[in-house]
Amino acid sequence: MAKTPPVIAIDGPSGSGKGAITQRIAETLGFHILDSGAIYRLIGLAGRKHDVDLEDEAALIELARQLDIAFKATGYAEDPLSIWLEGEDVTRKIRTDEAGVDASKIAPLSGVREAIKQLQRSFRRDPGLVADGRDMGTVVFTDADVKIFLTASAEARAQRRYKQLIDKDISVSLHALFTSIRKRDERDTTRAVAPLIPASDAVIIDSTSLDIDEVFNQVLTIVKGKLD
Ligand code: DC
């Protein structure tokens, strides 16, 4: 019987380094990537494009069911995926703060989460998948071969985001970033549906005082130990 392709679930709050670790692990193993946060961002973008009220759950469910999206490999290690909505390249558009705020309002809607479950599962293909999100190990891929919960203090995450923005010449207040991260954490961890919590069988890694190479090495060791 054909074996189900392996899944590595990487969950955690924003700014924990999940995205970068997901990319490096996928690249090292030659696995596919599911950026589940991008799907919530895309629903928000599609909603704005089609004048759908972002509080109208029924309309958002309909939109989510018909979502015309594509993730394409760019061939660039820095930014391996380009993201498309209805034939338009929205790779940059979905990363704005506004798109993040829209996504965080849509994410608590249980009907929307349910509507995109199959879409997310369809990313599971040979030779394997690295799935990045909040509920990959707890809801979408409960049978994942490896579950990692990557976290870091809110201060460390605000510092990292601050540095990223300053490096891009975007001026921002560190305090405002910290407050916004705390608020987002509060919303994500206390919501009734698929709250941000580690799966009972997840390995928790606190990256507060680790650099990206150290986190990558720890995750790769865990993955190799479980998949070999
Ligand atoms: O990881 P991100 O910033 O792109 O996520 C955008 C929003 O979507 C964020 O508020 C958390 C939410 N999200 C979620 O609820 N479940 C996921 N699997 C991924 C993201």
Side-chain angles (χ1 to χ4, degrees):
M1 206 169 68
K3 204 178 157 296
T4 328
V7 174
I8 301 164
I10 305 192
D11 289 308
S14 39
S16 59
K18 274 178 310 135
I21 294 298
T22 296
Q23 281 182 18
R24 281 183 67 176
I25 294 289
E27 202 183 312
T28 306
L29 302 177
F31 278 18
H32 302 282
I33 291 178
L34 166 62
D35 175 354
S36 60
I39 298 182
Y40 291 94
R41 288 170 183 262
L42 283 163
I43 297 170
L45 223 59
R48 293 222 172 248
K49 187 170 170 183
H50 297 291
D51 283 329
V52 169
D53 177 351
L54 297 189
E55 286 176 10
D56 182 344
E57 185 167 7
L60 289 171
I61 291 172
E62 208 42 47
L63 203 64
R65 287 201 182 120
Q66 298 169 15
L67 211 55
D68 170 10
I69 59 173
F71 293 78
K72 300 182 190 173
T74 61
Y76 301 117
E78 280 289 288
D79 220 345
L81 290 178
S82 64
I83 300 176
W84 298 70
L85 173 68
E86 297 165 5
E88 182 195 353
D89 183 348
V90 293
T91 314
R92 292 179 76 87
K93 241 190 210 173
I94 63 158
R95 298 298 167 204
T96 62
D97 260 6
E98 191 194 29
V101 172
D102 283 353
S104 78
K105 288 183 185 155
I106 290 167
L109 304 174
S110 58
V112 175
R113 301 194 74 89
E114 197 55 42
I116 59 168
K117 231 187 240 174
Q118 281 315 320
L119 169 66
Q120 295 179 87
R121 289 181 178 152
S122 72
F123 282 75
R124 185 175 201 165
R125 275 177 254 132
D126 278 323
L129 176 70
V130 189
D132 163 348
R134 306 293 192 287
D135 62 343
M136 298 295 97
T138 49
V139 177
V140 181
F141 301 107
T142 47
D143 63 339
D145 302 76
V146 185
K147 296 182 187 178
I148 305 282
F149 190 86
L150 193 54
T151 186
S153 70
E155 288 83 355
R157 289 182 283 128
Q159 279 285 356
R160 287 175 195 164
R161 182 88 182 119
Y162 179 73
K163 186 173 178 310
Q164 277 171 357
L165 294 174
I166 294 297
D167 286 350
K168 284 186 191 159
D169 282 331
I170 301 173
S171 90
V172 63
S173 131
L174 179 59
H175 182 72
L177 280 177
F178 175 72
T179 310
S180 142
I181 282 180
R182 289 293 292 267
K183 265 198 204 138
R184 182 91 60 103
D185 283 357
E186 171 78 15
R187 268 209 301 268
D188 286 350
T189 51
T190 57
R191 71 179 177 217
V193 192
L196 175 63
I197 44 161
S200 57
D201 49 351
V203 179
I204 300 174
I205 299 178
D206 184 338
S207 74
T208 304
S209 54
L210 301 175
D211 68 27
I212 193 84
D213 288 333
E214 290 170 315
V215 178
F216 171 70
N217 287 328
Q218 280 196 23
V219 173
L220 191 61
T221 305
I222 294 163
V223 166
K224 285 192 164 159
K226 300 235 182 194
L227 291 189
D228 285 349

